[in-house]
Amino acid sequence: MMNKRGEKKNLRGRAGRNQGGRGSGRASAGAVRLWGRHAVEAALLNPARVHRKLWATTEGVESLSGELPPAFPVEYAGPEDLARLVARDAPHQGLVLECEPLEDLHLVDVLDGDSTRPIVVLDQVTDPHNVGAVLRSAAAFDAAAIVTQDRHAPPEGGVLAKSASGALEIIPWVRVVNLARALEEMAEAGYWRIGLAGEAEEDFASALPSGPVAIVLGAEGEGMRQNIAAHCDTLARLPISSAMESLNVSNAAAIALYATAMRHR
């Protein structure tokens, strides 16, 4: 956790010559590379993170609201060198952090928690920008977790973390082998599973129960797989204008989470 900044020693920007190369964003073996102020600061403040190294500009370190421990491994470098450590054209904002991935979480830990908070289930949503944006909305509306299938979701990484704007460190992300089985476990725990589908007759607000709820969303275009839809208690739609065929999955998640948050107010 950040507390006290160490001595600022400029190591002449060797960052650009480290493993990964320009525009790759690839971390060392077994590590995750994050960039951007919100993503990096949230990771530094997360006690569950094990940090390896921070590459930064002086301005980047000064932008942090907390302070780094005295012995924290920092290598000062220029913006051009940092650009070689991240995905091409990614806005690193003077901060690139290499750290260990977050530990795997289990669904039972979420189901044993606060059931008044919704769970967001994503079926084959593979774009890291979308998953990151869903995490951000989940944090904004106090969701309990997001749940994805491990083989059909993006890995933890810089693009996703930047889109999540710090929420990757806040919202539990549960990856399961069998999403249908996970939905069965949610039902056994008392959750009402609502799948968002544009063709559904019932609108989402009407489908909301007073108790625990799991919001299930499929990938754009394809929607939920048939087997996943069959494991929902009901399908519901968002009442959008006929001028638009559908919403981006992250926008749909934000609206559904807002409606869920408002039901008790």
Side-chain angles (χ1 to χ4, degrees):
M1 182 175 289
M2 290 185 288
N3 50 35
K4 186 178 180 181
R5 287 196 184 101
E7 181 184 359
K8 295 180 180 177
K9 183 179 179 182
N10 194 321
L11 299 183
R12 301 193 310 174
R14 296 195 304 271
R17 293 188 287 278
N18 284 338
Q19 180 180 354
R22 175 175 287 281
S24 69
R26 291 195 303 270
S28 304
V32 172
R33 191 171 290 170
L34 309 177
W35 54 80
R37 186 175 70 83
H38 290 299
V40 169
E41 184 169 278
L44 290 171
L45 291 170
N46 184 358
R49 279 283 187 192
V50 176
H51 309 113
R52 291 189 177 185
K53 186 174 185 178
L54 176 68
W55 292 276
T57 62
T58 301
E59 294 78 10
V61 171
E62 290 293 340
S63 74
L64 296 170
S65 58
E67 295 186 336
L68 298 170
F72 198 90
V74 182
E75 180 171 321
Y76 286 85
E80 299 81 6
D81 287 319
L82 296 184
R84 297 186 176 96
L85 292 172
V86 303
R88 188 172 297 277
D89 299 325
H92 56 71
Q93 297 176 299
L95 295 163
V96 180
L97 176 68
E98 190 161 283
C99 52
E100 300 289 334
L102 292 169
E103 290 190 10
D104 291 339
L105 299 173
H106 302 288
L107 182 59
V108 65
D109 297 327
V110 174
L111 298 179
D112 287 343
D114 184 357
S115 63
T116 65
R117 301 167 66 192
I119 296 173
V120 179
V121 181
L122 301 179
D123 180 31
Q124 296 191 316
V125 179
T126 57
D127 185 333
H129 296 91
N130 279 334
V131 175
V134 171
L135 278 164
R136 188 174 184 177
S137 294
F141 294 108
D142 201 28
I146 71 164
V147 179
T148 65
Q149 190 171 5
D150 55 4
R151 291 184 296 113
H152 299 290
E156 182 183 341
V159 174
L160 187 149
K162 186 72 169 62
S163 298
S165 194
L168 177 62
E169 313 297 327
I170 299 170
I171 294 295
W173 180 3
V174 180
R175 298 169 180 84
V176 298
V177 174
N178 189 318
L179 200 58
R181 177 57 192 152
L183 286 167
E184 291 174 0
E185 292 178 24
M186 292 177 205
E188 292 165 3
Y191 283 78
W192 186 254
R193 303 158 301 176
I194 304 177
L196 284 184
E199 70 276 11
E201 294 185 5
E202 188 174 20
D203 69 79
F204 182 79
S206 300
L208 274 172
S210 58
V213 63
I215 304 166
V216 187
L217 301 101
E220 289 185 65
E222 299 176 1
M224 287 178 291
R225 289 173 292 172
Q226 184 175 357
N227 184 44
I228 299 304
H231 278 80
C232 294
D233 296 294
T234 188
L235 300 180
R237 59 177 175 80
L238 297 176
I240 64 174
S241 167
S242 59
M244 293 300 298
E245 182 180 352
S246 64
L247 287 174
N248 173 282
V249 64
S250 62
N251 291 335
I255 293 169
L257 284 164
Y258 171 77
T260 303
M262 292 300 293
R263 61 184 168 157
H264 298 309
R265 296 184 183 180

